[in-house]
Amino acid sequence: MATTKRDYYEVLGCVKTADGKVLKSAYRKLAMEYHPDRNPDNPEAEDKFKELNEAYSILSDEQKRAAYDRMGHNAFGQGGRGGGAGGGFNDFSDIFSQIFGQQGGGGGGFGDMFGGGGRGQRRSVRGADLRYEMEISLEEAFAGKDLEINIPISEDCHGCDGSGAAEGAKVETCSTCGGAGKVRTQQGFFTMERPCPRCGGQGEYVSDPCRTCDGSGQVRVETALDVNIPAGVEDGTRIRLSGQGDAAPKAAGPRGGRGDLYIFVSVAPHDLFERDGANLFCHAPVPMTCAALGGEIEIPTIDGGRAKVKVPAGSQSGRRMRLKGKGMSTLRSTARGDMYVELTVETPSQLNSRQKELLEEFRKEGGDESCSPASSSFLDKAKNFWDNLVD
Ligand SMILES: [Zn+2]
Ligand SMILES: [Zn+2]
């Protein structure tokens, strides 16, 4: 399984800017080509088909696509391809049926669809992965955060101990699938096999479902979890809490492990600071006199402190000063990025008469009452421009 993953856009043969419609039609075309029903006993086509479904499941989901565009395959951890039903993070089992207008059969997925196996050899079913989104401030991203979240997680129903059956209920063979647990539907040249929607692939069901869980065998339980958001976390980070997702349903066959919980962290924009990785940027206004004569300004830092910044005499707007080690914290490290302070020279707009007098005097002192700039390179360029005009 150490094969390198292909780029999802490449898999679909689309450019990165392709819109949803283009992706969908590319997916359709390729899915028809590689569908296992049309390529019996062709493991290569089967792999291609799986790869295709994975790529499309990511790119057709706006949030997953954005994460993929930003971080590539790293956005989805070690999930790995070829996981088939229940493997890894991406639940792409229903993608194909969505696109081709079929009813999703629930937990089954592709594995069952082209597995071809009879009943009895079902693979274990894992609990569902859960997704939790939270927004934190830039200060919190800097310092890290421990918090408790409450989320509803599926557990075995206490009323029936997860069986879904009321006390004394009889088990009956499913009449929809005749006990096979699977139904076949014909669509065009495909024969689709999917888990029976009535019995959920069990081939049987109980005559009298448990009233607490309506026969599902599971209930959602509000659960408090401690979450640690590490210092230096980036916007769009996904934190995986392994085995903290839904419990696997007892009634769905061989029981796999719990799903995972994924926490998606977004970092809110900040009033003062812009972030670029570990570095921060801050615009600082400086009075004209300070910029001309030099001085010192005080600016806030992300850790809540203050930093003094020396403004050299003759500073222009746009001048950047670097404050080493005053930027963001970084993941798994004590190092900090830098902060860049960009000066903006403020022109005084409300002068009293005395100030006006002083500035007039200042202007006269320069020996020129017009508004010619002091920048000689600009003057040279302007002269060149006029000289070279052809009439
Ligand atoms: Zn129950
Ligand atoms: Zn059935």
Side-chain angles (χ1 to χ4, degrees), residues 157 159-160 210 212-213:
C157 167
C160 59
C210 163
T212 307
C213 61

Side-chain angles (χ1 to χ4, degrees), residues 258-275:
R258 298 188 74 102
D260 299 328
L261 169 65
Y262 290 90
I263 297 179
F264 285 73
V265 182
S266 58
V267 180
H270 196 275
D271 278 349
L272 278 171
F273 306 111
E274 283 162 45
R275 178 187 196 177

Side-chain angles (χ1 to χ4, degrees), residues 34-64:
Y34 293 119
H35 194 281
D37 276 5
R38 303 186 89 187
N39 301 273
D41 300 322
N42 180 348
E44 206 178 304
E46 189 176 313
D47 280 348
K48 282 229 157 96
F49 189 63
K50 282 184 192 167
E51 188 184 28
L52 189 63
N53 282 304
E54 183 182 326
Y56 186 70
S57 76
I58 298 299
L59 298 185
S60 59
D61 179 311
E62 225 171 279
Q63 259 163 328
K64 288 182 193 165

